Amino acid sequence: LVVAFYFVSGVCLLNLLVAQFVHTYSIMSGDMVGLARLKRGAKVVEALEVATCARWDGFVRSLHLDLPARFCEGDIGMPGAVEVMESASQEATNIEIIRRYGGTTSPDAVWPEEESSSTDDIRERLLKIEAVMLKVADRLDTSRRGATGKSSAQAFSTSCLGSEGSCATSADSRRG
């Protein structure tokens, strides 16, 4: 009984020590990031003190901040940005989060009304859910086949959606 107490207390104290180390590391790493930014800022200030006004003006002109930035072919953005090219696979996304509208980039221009396509979104979601359900049913019941030779997913699709329903036949044709 005493040995079990020593063992449990040792594990608890060791966990406490590890927790303290992790907390201390997170605080110190935050301080190190802040210190690195301060040192980088000091280097920039030192470089600006040495630069002449003509050299600084030439640098600002070389950035072309008065020209609109190009997001992609035919998509012109607002002025005051620096265009940086990056690999498309670096930040892979499936959903485009930038809403693009044709026309001027003037802040005074009125934004167009958004189209409401909630019924299309719901229909697409339901079709995706149906496809996932059919895949899950196929995976769960690949070894068990009914007397008709249909898989359980086909039987589920027919029983839940109706034998003459268009959804069952379209789902089966999409899978096959």
Side-chain angles (χ1 to χ4, degrees):
L1 189 63
V2 174
V3 174
F5 174 74
Y6 282 147
F7 179 74
V8 170
S9 62
V11 169
C12 289
L13 289 175
L14 188 62
N15 282 338
L16 182 64
L17 181 66
V18 168
Q20 283 181 329
F21 280 148
V22 168
H23 181 68
T24 304
Y25 177 78
S26 66
I27 290 173
M28 289 182 66
S29 67
D31 290 343
M32 294 302 286
V33 169
L35 184 61
R37 287 182 180 160
L38 285 174
K39 286 188 176 187
R40 190 177 316 132
K43 296 284 185 187
V44 169
V45 169
E46 287 175 16
L48 286 176
E49 288 174 353
V50 176
T52 63
C53 287
R55 188 170 181 187
W56 176 254
D57 289 339
F59 170 70
V60 171
R61 274 194 306 275
S62 72
L63 293 176
H64 302 290
L65 295 175
D66 55 337
L67 300 175
R70 273 186 24 197
F71 291 123
C72 63
E73 198 67 36
D75 191 1
I76 299 174
M78 297 175 58
V82 178
E83 183 178 352
V84 177
M85 303 302 271
E86 65 180 20
S87 172
S89 62
Q90 184 177 1
E91 297 290 333
T93 58
N94 294 333
I95 300 171
E96 181 68 42
I97 57 175
I98 298 175
R99 305 253 172 134
R100 300 176 192 278
Y101 299 102
T104 180
T105 58
S106 170
D108 299 331
V110 179
W111 287 87
E113 296 272 337
E114 281 195 40
E115 298 175 6
S116 176
S117 62
S118 61
T119 57
D120 292 339
D121 291 340
I122 292 172
R123 222 174 258 149
E124 287 177 20
R125 286 182 181 177
L126 288 175
L127 287 174
K128 287 180 184 178
I129 290 172
E130 180 188 358
V132 168
M133 286 175 34
L134 290 173
K135 285 181 185 178
V136 168
D138 270 345
R139 287 182 184 163
L140 290 176
D141 223 8
T142 54
S143 62
R144 278 182 24 194
R145 297 279 178 175
T148 61
K150 286 186 174 181
S151 70
S152 64
Q154 290 170 337
F156 171 78
S157 174
T158 304
S159 66
C160 291
L161 299 175
S163 59
E164 65 275 344
S166 62
C167 291
T169 56
S170 66
D172 292 339
S173 65
R174 275 195 312 260
R175 282 184 326 130

